[in-house]
Amino acid sequence: MKIQKNISLKKYNTFGIEAIAKRFIEINSITELKELIAIEKNIFLLGGGSNMLLTRTIENLVIHLNLKGIIVNDTEKDIVYVTAEAGENWHEFVLWCISQNYGGLENLSLIPGNVGTSPIQNIGAYGVEIKDIFQQLEALEIETGKTKIFNKTECKFGYRDSIFKTKQKGKFIITNVTFKLTKNRHQLNISYGAIKTFLENIEKPTIKDVSNAVISIRNSKLPDPKEIGNSGSFFKNPVIDSNSFKNLQIKYPEIPFYDVSKSEKKIPAGWLIEQCGFKGKRFGDAGVHVNQALVLVNYGNASGKEIYELAQKIQETIHETFGISLDIEVNVI
């Protein structure tokens, strides 16, 4: 293991933000990780860099976790348990599962990032979230160096949320995740309108067809981080009570929504942002994507601070216009 000094993190975050790590190390095995945290507790964990906005120099020791490997565990008649190491690229892992005819992850195709960070955010798209196919994860406790297994209940999954963003934030390093997938009889989730439309001419769609539909839809709406810096959806879709929604609907009859419960509605944040005129707007090299208002982008040389200031401006405008608080989905560092 070799600690490097004053390393640029631009290529390690999908926003393409220029930020410096005072100290940086790449970890390729559990043994290395255990040895490191035994002597160093003041750390900053870096996975795929897909769900963060860097706004400053990182003083902590930056650990780039590069654990690799996929293992097929116990199988049942129609169920298979697949464990992936934290450093595996999420989309490549999804495609590998599909190639093995393991179903459950297809709706989560093309989401940027690594496997290890997927439960932290409880990533989700097109009607599916990690919690729906999650079995367990293993994590190292930084303080003690001991391994702990977390089941679904212990992870306390919520909308783009988990215990690793709240009570246990910064206390554990996720090393691998196990998913409960189908291997014969797949129950496809194609209720999302765009997917249903994409598959309408396919008589018996497969998990590969669903994945292709998701990839096509995402490519049409979301910019490729390799071409223009971004972190996917920057804001959470707000959930409001039904009474507040009824009042909004009187003023904005066309407002889209999804039922969360009998007493709550979810409003697409992208629609709110677009109504306030931000879609496609550029402020220097920071901007709102032209095709998807939920995505903030770096056109080349924006600083993390500039993108964060734009996010705050959007939040303020949404609150003034609709009385809705818009929460940021990405981690602002």
Side-chain angles (χ1 to χ4, degrees):
M1 294 187 295
K2 182 181 179 182
I3 295 178
Q4 304 175 67
K5 294 185 178 180
N6 297 319
I7 298 298
S8 169
L9 297 177
K10 186 169 185 176
K11 70 176 182 179
Y12 293 101
N13 71 95
T14 59
F15 253 119
I17 298 296
E18 181 61 83
I20 299 297
K22 286 292 187 68
R23 296 183 299 150
F24 177 94
I25 189 169
E26 187 163 299
I27 294 296
N28 298 298
S29 71
I30 294 292
T31 300
E32 289 181 348
L33 183 58
K34 288 182 176 180
E35 289 176 356
L36 182 64
I37 64 174
I39 58 175
E40 180 70 56
K41 307 296 184 184
N42 190 24
I43 63 174
F44 176 86
L45 197 63
L46 181 64
S50 63
N51 192 49
M52 65 172 61
L53 176 64
L54 298 172
T55 63
R56 57 178 173 83
T57 295
I58 308 299
E59 302 288 344
N60 300 18
L61 173 61
V62 174
I63 298 177
H64 183 225
L65 205 57
N66 196 34
L67 306 179
K68 301 288 187 180
I70 300 172
I71 299 174
V72 178
N73 301 301
D74 297 336
T75 63
E76 301 169 5
K77 183 179 180 181
D78 295 314
I79 299 295
V80 60
Y81 297 91
V82 181
T83 299
E85 295 297 308
E88 288 288 342
N89 175 271
W90 175 259
H91 180 57
E92 291 177 5
F93 171 60
V94 171
L95 293 183
W96 182 88
C97 289
I98 291 171
S99 74
Q100 305 300 306
N101 196 32
Y102 299 155
L105 298 173
E106 54 275 4
N107 291 55
L108 303 179
S109 298
L110 210 63
I111 293 178
N114 289 353
V115 168
T117 53
S118 62
I120 298 174
Q121 191 74 3
N122 185 25
I123 61 173
Y126 306 109
V128 176
E129 293 180 319
I130 281 294
K131 66 178 179 62
D132 300 324
I133 31 79
F134 177 88
Q135 180 65 19
Q136 67 175 45
L137 64 80
E138 288 188 11
L140 282 182
E141 187 173 23
I142 296 172
E143 184 62 32
T144 65
K146 293 181 179 179
T147 299
K148 177 175 172 56
I149 295 175
F150 288 83
N151 61 30
K152 184 185 295 188
T153 301
E154 291 169 325
C155 287
K156 298 188 182 303
F157 290 123
Y159 173 53
R160 303 298 176 267
D161 198 17
S162 73
I163 196 171
F164 302 104
K165 292 183 70 176
T166 54
K167 186 178 179 181
Q168 300 297 351
K169 184 176 181 179
K171 296 181 180 180
F172 286 88
I173 300 174
I174 296 172
T175 55
N176 65 59
V177 186
T178 300
F179 301 93
K180 182 180 180 181
L181 307 177
T182 57
K183 64 175 181 177
N184 293 316
R185 300 176 183 176
H186 304 308
Q187 292 186 336
L188 303 182
N189 187 333
I190 57 175
S191 57
Y192 190 88
I195 295 179
K196 184 181 293 187
T197 300
F198 189 94
L199 299 176
E200 62 185 359
N201 294 322
I202 300 178
E203 185 176 348
K204 293 182 178 180
T206 64
I207 56 175
K208 180 63 175 175
D209 292 326
V210 175
S211 175
N212 288 340
V214 170
I215 291 170
S216 178
I217 294 165
R218 291 184 71 90
N219 278 332
S220 69
K221 291 183 176 182
L222 304 173
D224 185 345
K226 294 177 182 177
E227 297 177 3
I228 182 170
N230 74 92
S231 191
S233 299
F234 196 90
F235 300 98
K236 295 180 181 180
N237 291 319
V239 176
I240 63 175
D241 65 82
S242 295
N243 288 333
S244 297
F245 174 75
K246 287 178 182 177
N247 292 331
L248 275 175
Q249 200 172 33
I250 293 172
K251 190 173 182 180
Y252 305 97
E254 74 285 4
I255 186 171
F257 69 95
Y258 304 95
D259 289 317
V260 176
S261 66
K262 291 182 179 180
S263 60
E264 293 179 314
K265 307 287 186 183
K266 182 183 293 184
I267 312 299
W271 183 86
L272 297 171
I273 297 168
E274 186 171 352
Q275 297 308 301
C276 290
F278 283 103
K279 186 177 181 180
K281 287 291 184 66
R282 180 169 176 169
F283 304 81
D285 269 7
V288 179
H289 193 249
V290 66
N291 293 329
Q292 175 51 270
L294 198 55
V295 178
L296 302 191
V297 295
N298 174 12
Y299 284 104
N301 295 306
S303 68
K305 184 179 179 182
E306 289 171 330
I307 290 175
Y308 183 52
E309 287 173 348
L310 171 57
Q312 290 178 307
K313 185 175 183 178
I314 291 171
Q315 287 176 307
E316 292 169 1
T317 305
I318 296 299
H319 192 268
E320 290 172 359
T321 305
F322 298 100
I324 292 176
S325 296
L326 208 57
D327 292 331
I328 292 175
E329 185 173 321
V330 306
N331 295 307
V332 179
I333 309 299

